[in-house]
């Protein structure tokens, strides 16, 4: 079905059913009620002229789940599934006083229409390459030319800002008698300092618009003013702002804008946002949703037995900018995470608290992976970061030493992996300075001696446009310090356009960066504008990512190459050239589910009256979960947006809906296997099967 018209009426889709799916409408008219209709459909699926068994299987699942009441995990509400029952009412004109979106009928039309068509061939590599060519990187000369103009405009405005500052204590002041040229040279010099961009960060709608050449619409400005009244922060560094394209000509910067520009839904819900992951909501003395007891609900987050997140009481509770789709927006809302840098400096009590938090890792039988994040791990000052890493090193040493006294099978898991979560390589690449690199090198050398074998910077590069010469240099320095860089893409609408993620993989691979996760956007109504249905993740995996998929033998070869190469960027490029592939697809597409963690193993069991799909998820079978999670049954999630509304968004961005036509068929997924580099090393001994810090008493939210 080709829809040229942006709008499709209920009457229009009804006509399509009646003229193109005559057998279905006949079955409905011959049925006295929903039950009879479902029975006739079941019989028809077994005996009718059907050319697509996969489509029949998916419709059968919708029939089998019709009438079922499920517990929706994200909203903690019960939902009655009535997809096929509503379809019968629709086809028999029996809908009275019910608000039902045309989005539902459009999706169902496609499901039944598929019965009579064999699956079309997947896009070939030439097509995928054409899609990829649409997306330039920040290394392209035409992109850089526009950004040089941006920088000049912003520098002129920063000069004015500094001249009007009333903070004599600031280090960024012009000496008395400075000429205009002196001032410009000073600002150009300061531009290379991370501290300068943080000090000069844009914090108001008016200033934001001025920095963008007064290009923001009145609607956007009003939205920002409303956000500010509600206490929602605005924080964008001059450097990152220079990456946007306010000219209206040249490169499409939507993927960057969608990260920093707020949506009406986000602003409306701000103040009432809560954690998507149930395990992040912690009460003192009570286990979280995964059954873990934590020393402090704000400093340590935990879902899995083998890894926990550490959020320091430092400037690491801030970021280089506020991402519009931030998973911890609820913490900015409570001001636990914020941009008041002086207030975030560690207090005298922090060292004592840090020792206690390290004790949690040391005393735990299963923990072997620490992810230091925030906020942003690299927002911590160098001195503070050194202190944190030193505490991690000492904890790892003590844990290893204690194991010498424990017998085989009773030993604790030792620390094997240290990760720093940071978006600063793209938000603020000048943060990667010599002192930081020395800290990273020194820590790796010391920690390697006590058994730590994996050292990673996990970043969030959203678009090839964020890969600038400055970001490239920052990445080169981190890799030269011996740390691996992996990327976690938040798969929002702008990033989900055809070829965009494939191009990002290619650009990152060229720098030696490995892709780790492609995350479906999580959250509730606040992230409606940026949410991409999980079916698009599956489509991208099957139709675009597949051109970079490695065989088992190629994976082994690639892994050995990475381990034995000093120049990771060159090694990855050689591998791609030799095997004639555009990129290496080492990432997994997943949704972070409330309670059970990451998975893309699901089936579609229904659709709401708004046309939003209801998905039944299973656990990720490739990793270990807490005992309480293993005992859980399926998890049900109502998606944030219908497929039709998503396609309309793509159309508004200039995309051709027909290029996404196969999207409707992706109704079930399976979690991809983990690239071997991301597996934990063999410790060389048997770890105890006992758990510490685990309690299921009083944990009712996931039972």
């Amino acid at each position: 079905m080709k829809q040229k018209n942006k709008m499709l009426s209920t009457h229009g889709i009804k006509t399509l059913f009646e003229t193109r799916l005559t057998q279905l409408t006949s079955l409905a008219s011959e049925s006295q009620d929903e039950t009879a209709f479902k029975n006739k459909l079941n019989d028809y699926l077994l005996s009718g002229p059907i050319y697509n068994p996969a489509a029949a299987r998916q419709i059968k699942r919708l029939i089998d789940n019709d009438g079922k009441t499920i517990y929706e995990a994200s909203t903690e509400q019960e939902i009655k599934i009535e997809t096929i029952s509503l379809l019968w009412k629709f086809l028999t004109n029996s809908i009275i006083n019910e608000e039902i979106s045309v989005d539902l009928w459009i999706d169902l039309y496609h499901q039944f229409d598929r019965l009579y068509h064999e699956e079309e061939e997947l896009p070939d590599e030439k097509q995928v390459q054409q899609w990829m060519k649409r997306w330039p990187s920040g290394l392209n000369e035409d992109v850089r030319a526009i950004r040089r103009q941006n920088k000049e405009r912003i520098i002129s405005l920063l000069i004015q800002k500094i001249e009007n500052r009333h903070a004599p204590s600031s280090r960024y002041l012009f000496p008395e008698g400075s000429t205009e040229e002196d001032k410009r040279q000073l600002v150009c010099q300061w531009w290379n300092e991370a501290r300068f961009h943080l000090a000069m960060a844009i914090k108001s709608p008016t200033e934001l618009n001025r920095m963008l050449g007064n290009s923001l619409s009145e609607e956007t400005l009003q939205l920002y003013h409303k956000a500010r009244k509600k206490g929602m922060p605005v924080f964008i560094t001059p450097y990152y702002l220079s990456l946007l394209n306010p000219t209206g000509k040249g490169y499409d910067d939507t993927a960057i804008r969608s990260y920093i520009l707020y949506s009406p839904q986000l602003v409306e819900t701000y103040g009432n946002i809560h954690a998507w992951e149930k395990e992040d909501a912690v009460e003192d003395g009570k286990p979280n949703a995964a059954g873990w007891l934590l020393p402090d609900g704000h400093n340590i987050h935990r879902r899995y037995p083998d890894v926990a997140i550490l959020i320091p009481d430092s400037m690491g509770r801030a970021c280089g900018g506020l991402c519009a789709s931030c998973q911890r927006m609820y913490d900015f809302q409570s001001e636990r995470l914020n941009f008041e840098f002086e207030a975030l400096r560690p207090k005298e009590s922090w060292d004592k608290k840090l020792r206690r938090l390290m004790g949690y890792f040391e005393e735990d039988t299963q923990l072997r992976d620490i992810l230091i994040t925030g906020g942003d791990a690299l927002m911590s000052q160098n001195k503070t970061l050194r202190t944190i890493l030193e505490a991690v090193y000492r904890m790892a040493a003590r844990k290893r030493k204690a194991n010498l006294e424990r017998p085989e099978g009773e030993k604790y898991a030792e620390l094997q992996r240290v990760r720093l979560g940071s978006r600063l390589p793209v938000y603020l690449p000048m943060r990667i300075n010599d002192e930081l690199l020395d800290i990273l090198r020194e820590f790796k050398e010391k920690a390697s001696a006590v058994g730590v074998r994996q050292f990673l910077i996990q970043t969030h590069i959203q678009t090839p446009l964020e890969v600038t010469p400055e970001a490239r240099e920052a990445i080169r320095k981190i890799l030269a310090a011996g740390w691996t860089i992996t990327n976690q893409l938040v798969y929002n609408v702008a990033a989900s356009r055809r070829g965009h993620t494939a191009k990002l993989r290619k650009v990152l691979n060229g720098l030696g960066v490995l892709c780790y996760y492609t995350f479906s956007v999580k959250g509730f109504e606040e992230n409606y504008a940026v949410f991409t249905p999980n079916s698009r993740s599956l489509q991208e995996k099957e139709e675009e990512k597949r051109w970079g998929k490695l065989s088992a033998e190629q994976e082994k070869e690639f892994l050995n190459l990475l381990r034995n190469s000093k120049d990771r960027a060159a090694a990855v490029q050689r591998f791609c050239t030799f095997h004639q592939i555009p990129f290496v697809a080492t990432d997994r597409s997943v949704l972070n589910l409330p309670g059970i963690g990451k998975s893309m193993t699901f089936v579609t069991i229904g659709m709401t009256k708004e046309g939003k799909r209801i998905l039944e998820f299973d656990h990720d079978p490739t990793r270990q979960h807490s005992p309480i999670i293993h005992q859980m049954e399926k998890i049900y999630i109502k998606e944030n947006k219908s497929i039709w509304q998503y396609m309309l968004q793509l159309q508004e961005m200039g995309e051709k809906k027909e290029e996404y036509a196969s999207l409707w068929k992706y109704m079930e997924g399976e979690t991809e296997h983990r690239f071997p580099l991301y597996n934990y090393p063999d410790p060389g001994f048997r770890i105890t099967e006992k758990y510490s810090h685990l309690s299921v008493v009083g944990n009712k939210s996931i039972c």
Side-chain angles (χ1 to χ4, degrees), residues 387-668:
T387 299
I388 294 168
L389 291 177
E390 179 67 19
V392 171
Y393 159 71
R394 291 179 179 178
M395 175 271 293
R398 292 193 301 269
K399 197 170 189 181
R400 194 182 205 196
K401 184 178 180 181
N403 257 354
L404 297 175
E405 307 297 323
R406 299 184 182 113
E408 191 76 8
E410 296 182 22
K411 296 181 184 292
Y412 288 11
E414 296 175 5
L415 189 67
Q416 295 179 306
R417 179 183 296 166
V418 175
R419 294 182 280 169
L420 301 177
S422 177
R423 192 162 146 76
L424 293 195
V426 293
Y427 262 152
L428 205 60
M430 49 285 293
R431 168 68 180 96
I432 315 304
N433 56 30
D434 291 344
E435 186 181 4
L436 171 62
L437 295 166
D438 287 342
I439 292 169
L440 296 179
R441 287 192 197 93
E442 291 167 9
F443 173 75
K444 183 183 179 185
E445 183 178 353
K446 292 169 60 174
S448 297
V450 295
V452 182
R453 296 166 64 181
Q454 297 179 337
F455 303 83
L456 296 97
I457 303 288
Q458 285 196 321
T459 190
H460 290 280
I461 300 174
Q462 189 69 7
T463 168
L465 287 171
E466 292 178 324
V467 180
T468 63
E470 295 90 343
R472 177 178 59 187
E473 180 63 12
I475 289 167
R476 185 195 66 78
K477 289 177 178 178
I478 293 170
L479 293 175
W483 285 61
T484 296
I485 302 177
T486 61
N487 192 59
Q488 302 183 133
L489 169 66
V490 180
Y491 202 54
N492 68 15
V493 177
S496 74
R497 291 173 290 178
R498 282 290 201 184
H500 189 276
T501 301
K503 181 61 174 288
L504 179 62
R505 293 189 188 97
K506 180 180 176 66
V507 171
L508 293 180
N509 285 170
L511 304 182
V513 177
L514 301 176
C515 297
Y516 185 47
Y517 280 128
T518 296
F519 277 120
S520 294
V521 175
K522 55 192 171 184
F524 305 94
E525 186 64 19
E526 73 272 10
N527 282 335
Y528 176 86
V530 295
F531 174 78
T532 299
N534 290 280
S535 52
R536 173 62 185 131
S537 290
L538 297 180
Q539 185 187 47
E540 202 278 336
K541 180 190 78 170
E542 294 296 326
E543 300 182 11
E544 296 155 71
K545 188 197 293 188
R546 73 188 185 101
W547 295 106
K549 282 290 187 181
L550 307 182
S551 66
E553 288 187 359
Q554 288 174 330
E555 278 194 347
K556 187 177 180 180
E557 177 191 343
F558 187 52
L559 192 61
N560 288 332
L561 186 67
L562 293 175
R563 287 171 173 168
N564 298 319
S565 176
K566 292 184 178 180
D567 188 341
R568 180 158 288 182
V572 177
Q573 291 181 61
R574 283 198 308 273
F575 182 87
C576 290
T577 301
F578 180 80
H579 289 282
Q580 296 183 316
I581 56 176
F583 51 81
V584 283
T586 54
D587 56 306
R588 298 201 297 170
S589 300
V590 295
L591 171 64
N592 240 332
L593 294 159
I596 73 171
K598 303 169 185 67
S599 179
M600 194 53 77
T601 302
F602 74 85
V603 292
T604 303
I605 62 170
M607 302 166 194
T608 70
K609 292 179 180 180
E610 299 82 23
K612 300 174 181 179
R613 292 183 175 183
I614 301 171
L615 312 181
E616 178 188 272
F617 276 90
D618 205 347
H619 307 71
D620 174 6
T622 68
R623 70 179 305 158
Q624 187 182 10
H625 299 271
S626 77
I628 190 171
I629 300 301
H630 278 299
Q631 295 168 11
M632 290 175 60
E633 298 180 353
K634 311 291 186 181
I635 290 289
Y636 300 97
I637 295 292
K638 177 186 71 174
E639 290 200 305
N640 207 0
K641 182 183 296 167
S642 70
I643 303 295
W644 183 241
Q645 290 303 314
Y646 167 68
M647 293 187 78
L648 291 180
Q649 279 187 285
L650 292 175
Q651 183 173 264
E652 289 174 358
M653 291 181 178
E655 297 293 289
K656 299 175 181 177
K657 292 205 297 293
E658 54 267 27
E659 292 189 343
Y660 299 82
S662 64
L663 184 61
W664 305 99
K665 75 176 183 181
Y666 290 101
M667 296 186 70
E668 56 184 298

Side-chain angles (χ1 to χ4, degrees), residues 10 85-100 104-105:
T10 299
S85 296
L86 288 172
L87 178 62
W88 176 80
K89 290 182 179 180
F90 175 65
L91 296 176
T92 58
N93 300 312
S94 303
I95 295 176
I96 302 172
N97 298 326
E98 287 190 81
E99 292 284 336
I100 302 177
L104 171 61
W105 314 133

